[in-house]
Amino acid sequence: MIKRPSSSPPSSSSSSTMAEVDHNGKRKKHSTGSLHRYMIINGKLIVMIITALLSSVFLIPPIKIIMQQSTIRQSNDSSNTNTQQLQIPPCLANPWKESEDLRGKCPGDLKPFSGATSISTCASTCCDNSECISWQYRQDVGCLQGKDVRLGQEKDGVSAWCSDHPPYRWNGAYLKVHKEKHKGMEDSEVRRKGCNEETWNPNEEIGQCFGLGDVKPGTPSNSALDCMKACCASEKCNAWQWNKELGCFYSGGMHGCQENLEPITFEPFVGRRKYLATRKYIDKHNKPWQMTM
């Protein structure tokens, strides 16, 4: 006798089994399980794709802005340099000394020249004048012209000297009476206050001064305080200045201090010297000295 299949509804277990078998008797892939397996296999790739999309939205625009700003700054710097170069006409009769710029202060050695009101006219009028060897120009000062000067660490030539770096802000002070700063005080009082950490004034001279000689080798110069102590340790030292870029300088006195402290006074000059065949342009070791641009 052939048994007929029961007409009663299948149980939940058999229903589940049947749901996984199609009408041809093949097992079906469960959609939830398939997604789970797909996420396990490709999860890292999906995370990377999502991260890339978020980065493109939140990071790439700021990076583009930064790069554009950097490009603009570089373009402006290059443009300013090229503009200056174009404004300086060549001096054919007495060529300008190559690879240098009188960008620092020349204390009192170059004098105002009223006949020039721009970089180009300052240069050309100096070129045409056999008495003029050096010139500088800055908007607030105007045109300065004069005879030969030494630059930076050069030791041959005339005594007139120019700084080879643009104006910096300094720390510095006198340790003896300065008529404009210590009225009514005695030298001993100025030194006593200037050598005391509680009463010293490291900002007495923040504009560059001259006459302090070369940087003092072997002197701790990590701070203005180190420089002050080094000067105070010497009875012959009456003035000091310190700059984080250049180090510690001190001597028996200083002069030509930069007093006008408007922002433009810390901007570099533009200037040149005529090359002189009589000069060696050497340092104190008799080695050629070349300005670092």
Side-chain angles (χ1 to χ4, degrees), residues 58 141 148 200 247 283:
F58 295 105
V141 176
D148 188 26
W200 73 314
D283 62 16

Side-chain angles (χ1 to χ4, degrees), residues 122-176:
C122 191
S124 61
T125 52
C126 180
C127 177
D128 295 337
N129 182 1
S130 60
E131 297 295 321
C132 179
I133 305 298
S134 310
W135 65 269
Q136 281 186 308
Y137 185 89
R138 195 172 69 188
Q139 185 176 358
D140 62 321
V141 176
C143 179
L144 303 174
Q145 294 183 357
K147 294 183 180 297
D148 188 26
V149 293
R150 289 183 297 114
L151 180 61
Q153 299 301 312
E154 289 176 353
K155 297 302 179 184
D156 72 316
V158 297
S159 59
W161 179 82
C162 288
S163 175
D164 62 331
H165 60 78
Y168 288 118
R169 290 183 179 272
W170 294 75
N171 293 117
Y174 290 92
L175 296 183
K176 70 174 184 178

Side-chain angles (χ1 to χ4, degrees), residues 37-71:
R37 287 191 298 273
Y38 182 83
M39 290 296 293
I40 292 176
I41 296 172
N42 300 290
K44 291 183 179 180
L45 178 61
I46 294 172
V47 171
M48 291 174 65
I49 293 173
I50 294 174
T51 302
L53 291 174
L54 291 175
S55 297
S56 67
V57 174
F58 295 105
L59 294 180
I60 292 178
I63 291 174
K64 285 184 177 179
I65 292 173
I66 292 171
M67 292 178 67
Q68 289 172 353
Q69 290 176 343
S70 176
T71 302

Side-chain angles (χ1 to χ4, degrees), residues 78-274:
S78 177
S79 176
N80 290 337
T81 300
N82 292 335
T83 300
Q84 288 183 358
Q85 293 293 340
L86 291 173
Q87 290 177 327
I88 301 176
C91 187
L92 301 179
N94 296 99
W96 309 124
K97 192 170 182 299
E98 294 182 354
S99 302
E100 68 177 33
D101 186 10
L102 302 190
R103 59 190 179 187
K105 190 176 179 183
C106 301
D109 299 319
L110 303 183
K111 306 299 182 183
F113 180 73
S114 59
T117 56
S118 67
I119 292 175
S120 59
T121 56
C122 191
S124 61
T125 52
C126 180
C127 177
D128 295 337
N129 182 1
S130 60
E131 297 295 321
C132 179
I133 305 298
S134 310
W135 65 269
Q136 281 186 308
Y137 185 89
R138 195 172 69 188
Q139 185 176 358
D140 62 321
V141 176
C143 179
L144 303 174
Q145 294 183 357
K147 294 183 180 297
D148 188 26
V149 293
R150 289 183 297 114
L151 180 61
Q153 299 301 312
E154 289 176 353
K155 297 302 179 184
D156 72 316
V158 297
S159 59
W161 179 82
C162 288
S163 175
D164 62 331
H165 60 78
Y168 288 118
R169 290 183 179 272
W170 294 75
N171 293 117
Y174 290 92
L175 296 183
K176 70 174 184 178
V177 171
H178 185 279
K179 61 182 180 179
E180 296 179 359
K181 301 180 182 297
H182 310 118
K183 294 180 179 180
M185 298 176 66
E186 299 291 334
D187 285 346
S188 59
E189 182 181 2
V190 173
R191 191 174 190 88
R192 183 176 67 254
K193 288 186 175 181
C195 293
N196 187 321
E197 292 184 40
E198 296 182 358
T199 57
W200 73 314
N201 179 14
N203 296 314
E204 183 174 288
E205 290 294 349
I206 64 172
Q208 184 177 9
C209 298
F210 298 87
L212 296 173
D214 296 333
V215 65
K216 296 298 184 291
T219 298
S221 57
N222 295 324
S223 67
L225 181 61
D226 287 340
C227 192
M228 178 271 280
K229 289 181 176 179
C231 180
C232 289
S234 171
E235 294 182 358
K236 296 181 179 181
C237 181
N238 294 311
W240 63 272
Q241 277 200 310
W242 175 84
N243 174 276
K244 65 179 181 179
E245 302 290 340
L246 302 174
C248 178
F249 299 77
Y250 58 83
S251 187
M254 57 188 177
H255 60 84
C257 298
Q258 181 183 2
E259 300 296 341
N260 180 9
L261 302 178
E262 294 296 325
I264 196 171
T265 62
F266 294 102
E267 293 294 322
F269 289 83
V270 176
R272 298 291 187 271
R273 303 183 289 178
K274 293 175 181 176

